[in-house]
Amino acid sequence: MFLSNRRRLTPFNRKKQSAYVNLRRKRNWAVILTAAISLLFFFMISGSILALVSFAVFSKDLPSPDKLTNRKIDVSTRIYDRNGKLLFDVYKDVNRSIVKLSDIPKPVIDATLATEDAEYYQHGGFDILGILRAFKNIVLYHQLQGGSTITQQLVKTALLSNERSVIRKIKELVLSIEIERIYNKDQILQIYFNEIPYGGTAWGIAAASELYFGKNVKDLTLGESALLAGLPQSPTYYSPFGPEPQRARERQRYVLYLMENKGWVDKDGKRYFLSKEEADAARNQVLDYAKPGQTINAPHFSLYVKSLLTQKYGQDMVESGGLQVTTSLDLDLQNQLQDIVKSQLDKIKALKVGNGALVAMDPKTGEVLSMVGSKDYFGSPEPAGCTPGKDCTFEGNFNAALDALRQPGSSFKPITYATAFEKGLTPATLIMDVPTSFPGADGQAYSPVNYDGKFHGPLSLRNALGSSVNIAAVKLLKIVGIPSVISKARQLGITTLTDPARYGLSLTLGGGEVPLIQMTQAYAAFANQGKSVTPLYILEVKDSHGNVLEENHPVDGQKVFSPEVSYLISNVLSDDSARVLAFGPNSLLNIPGFSVAVKTGTSNDKRDNWTIGYTPSIVIGVWVGNNDNSPMDQRLASGITGASPIWNLSMKAYLKGKKDEPFVKPDNIVEMDVDSLTGMLPYAGQPTKKEVFIQGTQPTTTSDMYQTIKVCRVDNKIADQNCINQNQYDEKTFVVFHDPALQSEFQQDIQNFINSADGFKDNPIYHPPTETSTM
């Protein structure tokens, strides 16, 4: 029998051996634990050293975190209307507008936090758990979710490149920590909202709001906010303007899911969630997108304002300096008047009317409230195939309100009449509308005719101006002189009448070319009691930080005409009865219930048709014609078709809801009865009428046109003494016409008219005897 060498273990030995084994095991774990702790400390120290070394190494080449607020960034210049409504974003490559965090609605902030960085207010610039979560969601659930914090995204966008590398990532982490040290959370979030790209040229939430929804960021709804919050992850892929716009709605719904189910931590440290009712309402909201492409309101006006800014501040400042520009324009009024111009011009295409323009101005300040430069800025040139600038009747981008030099026709006459009133003539002054030949400087006689082709005989200046009689206006110009009228026109703001010798007496009939803006400006002075006004387009300009660069106020204009003369013009042009001769009663020039002065004008061959009218608070000028200056159809009738319907509807649109505003009547305007025919003191047995005068110009005698003659009954000749002695005579009153202001210069023309015109040639009252009786 073989005995084993192994010692047989007794119970005592077994217990002893077990204790030994346990001790050995404890010693082994202690060694392992010691080694692990030592290794951990080693890695911690090494990691710290490595981090410090990395920080030191990479910090040398890193941009300063201060650049977030100190560097120059391209910011769009924003042009607004007078009420803060956006007209135009001006930019070169990047469309960006700076907005304060306090002006960003809470739904935008909440949706962005829930989507991009729910624990933003809790971390110090980067979030390891967030990175791990993003990795898990991408791998396991195929959900696209960024692993970078908002701070990291800002660093990558504003301070670093989009390079994908470990080194760039380390730089990003280092800078994120530094930025969190320098700036507070709200400052970082504000910069983020102004820096992050949202697709296309839109950088920042303000530009994105305008691009996708055509509204100010403060007006965004929850549904719109959720859609925009989902864009920065991949702006092109999720763009509602892209090839698959449904992706934008899918992304929006995912953002709303995150807000409802995962929530976000706010600055108070609490986690918030969107209610199911709020999320459902946002999901079901119908999103009204802006039209793709850059939006520009009132394009002719906006681009003109841009040109003014460029002249003063330079192109670079305008395209990337972030100017905030408040203009004089009223966008709501502009849109109404633009629609009126287009719709009315569409109705008269058959009359060969290719284009039109409109200017509305506040006559007290000169502020341009509306400028319609053509019927459609974006319209194609007409007719199809025409050469722009040559034979096109319409070119949308041409600003006919500012740049078209056109003959104003009879709309120029009030300037001549005001000059005559200033020299003592009155609305009651009689003038003879008869065929008249005026000697010209070149030896050729100038023989104007009236719009209707008729001559009306004796007229008051009131009716002559109201009914736009040409002969009367030419006679007045001859009385007051061409230099005087041109001087007044220049004082009123008309700068284009530079060659007096070229116009001659046709000047008063609109023989000199003038842009619509300047004719409207001239009429504004009549509404402004004789003081000139300067068109004002820009009210205020601020830089991108809100500092005021310029603030424009109305300039106290030059006194061109007295308030009394201006009142006479306004009183005549607002008198519907004074224009009955040409337009009939209650024409489109009459605005029932309102005191409105208005004048029309038509140039030769009906190449231009104008209507300009005003109240004390608004002046509206309208021109229609063709860009190539070709004639319109001769059937176009001033005061009925063309400019007048546009003016009528535009004036009514402005006056809607407003009270009548009578023209201010100066204290030294007097009203009195005068003889209806001659405008002098009432003559026995003759009808009278009311008329207004400037104190000192009212008549003090009866007219010398009334002549009482003793006529011998036998032969109807002037009674001789013999006829008188035999009491064979009658005293008869005759009317002998002449132009009181012109003396006898055109007396033969007047007599020729009396001898040949119906209503005069056979009426004995106008033919006094010239021979003495010999019976």
Side-chain angles (χ1 to χ4, degrees):
M1 175 178 221
F2 294 92
L3 295 177
S4 171
N5 291 325
R6 178 176 297 176
R7 180 181 300 175
R8 180 173 294 180
L9 294 178
T10 65
F12 173 81
N13 289 337
R14 287 193 185 98
K15 187 176 181 180
K16 184 177 180 181
Q17 184 174 3
S18 175
Y20 175 77
V21 170
N22 288 336
L23 180 61
R24 290 282 303 270
R25 285 176 179 173
K26 288 180 181 179
R27 287 176 179 174
N28 290 341
W29 277 112
V31 171
I32 294 172
L33 183 60
T34 302
I37 292 173
S38 301
L39 191 61
L40 178 61
F41 275 109
F42 172 78
F43 280 118
M44 289 178 62
I45 295 170
S46 300
S48 299
I49 294 172
L50 180 62
L52 290 172
V53 171
S54 299
F55 188 89
V57 169
F58 289 113
S59 293
K60 293 190 302 180
D61 301 322
L62 287 178
S64 170
D66 294 333
K67 283 190 174 182
L68 273 182
T69 52
N70 296 334
R71 79 195 197 290
K72 181 184 182 301
I73 59 172
D74 288 348
V75 181
S76 306
T77 285
R78 310 201 91 194
I79 299 175
Y80 299 94
D81 88 331
R82 63 189 304 109
N83 300 311
K85 296 179 180 178
L86 182 66
L87 298 179
F88 187 27
D89 263 325
V90 184
Y91 57 89
K92 185 176 182 180
D93 299 314
V94 173
N95 180 12
R96 186 199 334 258
S97 297
I98 302 301
V99 61
K100 294 180 179 178
L101 188 64
S102 58
D103 294 329
I104 299 174
K106 197 71 165 60
V108 174
I109 298 173
D110 295 343
T112 301
L113 291 176
T115 307
E116 296 295 337
D117 192 355
E119 281 74 33
Y120 170 73
Y121 279 105
Q122 291 188 318
H123 63 64
F126 67 95
D127 182 6
I128 295 296
L129 293 179
I131 295 173
L132 294 176
R133 274 198 309 272
F135 179 77
K136 180 191 72 173
N137 287 333
I138 292 171
V139 173
L140 298 181
Y141 304 113
H142 306 291
Q143 293 177 346
L144 183 60
Q145 180 180 336
S148 297
T149 64
I150 280 177
T151 312
Q152 288 175 276
Q153 293 179 50
L154 175 60
V155 167
K156 181 174 66 176
T157 300
L159 300 178
L160 299 176
S161 68
N162 287 322
E163 171 195 3
R164 291 177 177 272
S165 68
V166 174
I167 292 176
R168 206 267 311 153
K169 195 67 177 177
I170 294 173
K171 290 181 178 180
E172 178 185 301
L173 292 171
V174 171
L175 278 172
S176 296
I177 295 170
E178 278 294 286
I179 285 170
E180 292 269 352
R181 184 179 61 82
I182 296 174
Y183 303 100
N184 65 43
K185 287 289 188 178
D186 283 353
Q187 288 175 318
I188 296 170
L189 196 57
Q190 176 173 298
I191 299 171
Y192 172 88
F193 276 119
N194 288 307
E195 290 279 357
I196 293 300
Y198 284 83
T201 57
W203 288 66
I205 190 66
S209 178
E210 293 289 350
L211 174 66
Y212 294 110
F213 297 109
K215 59 170 61 175
N216 191 296
V217 65
K218 65 182 176 60
D219 299 321
L220 288 172
T221 65
L222 173 59
E224 293 164 344
S225 300
L227 186 135
L228 295 182
L231 293 179
Q233 278 289 331
S234 184
T236 302
Y237 183 83
Y238 290 122
S239 173
F241 298 157
E244 297 186 52
Q246 74 278 4
R247 291 173 178 168
R249 287 309 294 261
E250 292 169 359
R251 177 66 173 167
Q252 179 220 33
R253 292 188 179 96
Y254 179 62
V255 171
L256 292 170
Y257 164 81
L258 291 175
M259 297 179 74
E260 182 183 3
N261 293 280
K262 298 192 175 181
W264 65 94
V265 177
D266 214 325
K267 64 175 66 179
D268 59 5
K270 298 178 182 178
R271 184 171 293 273
Y272 292 87
F273 299 86
L274 199 64
S275 71
K276 185 178 186 305
E277 292 75 18
E278 290 172 320
D280 288 343
R283 275 189 283 265
N284 295 328
Q285 179 191 350
V286 177
L287 298 181
D288 184 16
Y289 295 116
K291 292 181 180 179
Q294 186 179 9
T295 300
I296 176 171
N297 291 306
H300 295 96
F301 177 87
S302 297
L303 291 171
Y304 180 63
V305 167
K306 178 190 173 186
S307 72
L308 294 178
L309 294 169
T310 301
Q311 291 173 23
K312 184 167 186 177
Y313 297 102
Q315 184 172 337
D316 184 61
M317 182 66 166
V318 172
E319 291 184 344
S320 61
L323 299 177
Q324 305 292 304
V325 184
T326 300
T327 68
S328 59
L329 193 95
D330 183 329
L331 183 58
D332 291 339
L333 179 65
Q334 169 74 19
N335 289 336
Q336 289 185 70
L337 304 193
Q338 177 74 66
D339 290 343
I340 290 171
V341 170
K342 188 177 189 310
S343 63
Q344 290 299 308
L345 289 176
D346 287 343
K347 292 179 181 180
I348 55 174
K349 280 186 176 180
L351 296 179
K352 299 180 180 178
V353 183
N355 201 12
L358 178 148
V359 171
M361 182 185 296
D362 183 337
K364 295 183 176 73
T365 64
E367 295 173 6
V368 176
L369 303 177
S370 174
M371 176 186 287
V372 181
S374 74
K375 64 180 181 181
D376 182 5
Y377 179 86
F378 301 101
S380 300
E382 299 173 3
C386 68
T387 303
K390 186 177 180 182
D391 59 351
C392 293
T393 59
F394 164 72
E395 299 159 71
N397 59 0
F398 178 70
N399 192 340
L402 281 177
D403 301 326
L405 292 177
R406 309 308 292 257
Q407 292 192 348
S410 295
S411 65
F412 190 85
K413 288 175 183 174
I415 301 174
T416 303
Y417 275 77
T419 307
F421 290 162
E422 192 175 58
K423 293 183 181 295
L425 277 70
T426 75
T429 300
L430 183 140
I431 198 137
M432 294 301 294
D433 176 31
V434 301
T436 307
S437 293
F438 300 87
D442 57 358
Q444 298 292 319
Y446 174 52
S447 304
V449 295
N450 289 319
Y451 183 81
D452 60 4
K454 300 176 183 179
F455 298 94
H456 308 92
L459 292 173
S460 67
L461 290 188
R462 172 178 291 275
N463 290 338
L465 175 57
S467 292
S468 199
V469 176
N470 288 342
I471 304 300
V474 175
K475 285 184 175 180
L476 284 186
L477 181 58
K478 183 169 178 59
I479 292 170
V480 301
I482 293 174
S484 295
V485 172
I486 288 182
S487 174
K488 289 295 185 182
R490 287 175 178 166
Q491 293 174 54
L492 291 171
I494 296 174
T495 63
T496 55
L497 303 177
T498 56
D499 186 6
R502 183 168 73 84
Y503 312 121
L505 292 174
S506 68
L507 172 69
T508 192
L509 306 183
E513 293 78 11
V514 183
L516 174 61
I517 183 69
Q518 292 188 5
M519 282 302 298
T520 307
Q521 176 185 356
Y523 272 65
F526 294 128
N528 194 34
Q529 301 184 66
K531 281 189 175 183
S532 65
V533 297
T534 301
L536 187 57
Y537 304 92
I538 299 173
L539 302 182
E540 184 182 70
V541 179
K542 295 180 180 179
D543 64 17
S544 60
H545 302 292
N547 301 310
V548 176
L549 301 180
E550 65 174 276
E551 207 168 19
N552 298 312
H553 301 283
V555 178
D556 191 17
Q558 177 184 0
K559 181 182 175 183
V560 183
F561 294 110
S562 69
E564 292 78 14
V565 166
S566 299
Y567 176 79
L568 294 184
I569 293 294
S570 300
N571 183 270
V572 171
L573 293 182
S574 60
D575 182 1
D576 193 52
S577 64
R579 47 180 174 254
V580 167
L581 186 65
F583 304 103
N586 299 315
S587 69
L588 289 173
L589 305 181
N590 186 50
I591 308 293
F594 290 93
S595 304
V596 183
V598 58
K599 186 72 187 73
T600 63
T602 306
S603 64
N604 289 340
D605 300 322
K606 296 190 177 178
R607 297 175 187 272
D608 309 279
N609 184 238
W610 304 63
T611 303
I612 310 174
Y614 59 90
T615 74
S617 294
I618 187 69
V619 53
I620 298 177
V622 179
W623 165 87
V624 301
N626 294 308
N627 281 22
D628 63 352
N629 202 32
S630 58
M632 295 175 284
D633 194 296
Q634 296 304 298
R635 291 175 295 168
L636 183 139
S638 187
I640 300 174
T641 52
S644 292
I646 296 173
W647 176 86
N648 177 277
L649 292 173
S650 298
M651 184 60 77
K652 286 179 177 177
Y654 174 82
L655 293 174
K656 185 177 181 180
K658 296 180 174 65
K659 294 182 179 179
D660 181 36
E661 188 178 4
F663 295 103
V664 176
K665 184 179 180 180
D667 292 338
N668 57 341
I669 291 290
V670 296
E671 183 176 333
M672 60 182 290
D673 290 328
V674 296
D675 180 70
S676 293
L677 179 63
T678 66
M680 300 296 286
L681 289 181
Y683 193 84
Q686 300 299 317
T688 62
K689 64 181 180 182
K690 297 276 186 193
E691 189 53 274
V692 292
F693 301 88
I694 300 173
Q695 181 68 46
T697 65
Q698 66 267 40
T700 56
T701 64
T702 58
S703 173
D704 62 357
M705 289 185 226
Y706 289 113
Q707 297 184 9
T708 300
I709 301 175
K710 296 176 181 179
V711 179
C712 193
R713 295 180 186 137
V714 177
D715 57 5
N716 286 321
K717 294 183 179 180
I718 299 172
D720 64 355
Q721 192 60 45
N722 194 28
C723 188
I724 295 172
N725 291 340
Q726 296 181 40
N727 200 27
Q728 293 297 312
Y729 70 92
D730 294 312
E731 285 193 347
K732 295 184 178 180
T733 299
F734 297 89
V735 178
V736 181
F737 288 112
H738 61 86
D739 283 316
L742 284 166
Q743 298 178 349
S744 61
E745 184 173 357
F746 299 105
Q747 193 60 37
Q748 188 58 54
D749 292 321
I750 295 172
Q751 197 58 50
N752 291 341
F753 175 82
I754 297 298
N755 292 337
S756 60
D758 292 340
F760 293 92
K761 65 181 180 181
D762 298 324
N763 191 335
I765 195 174
Y766 301 121
H767 300 278
T770 58
E771 297 178 0
T772 303
S773 175
T774 59
M775 298 298 290

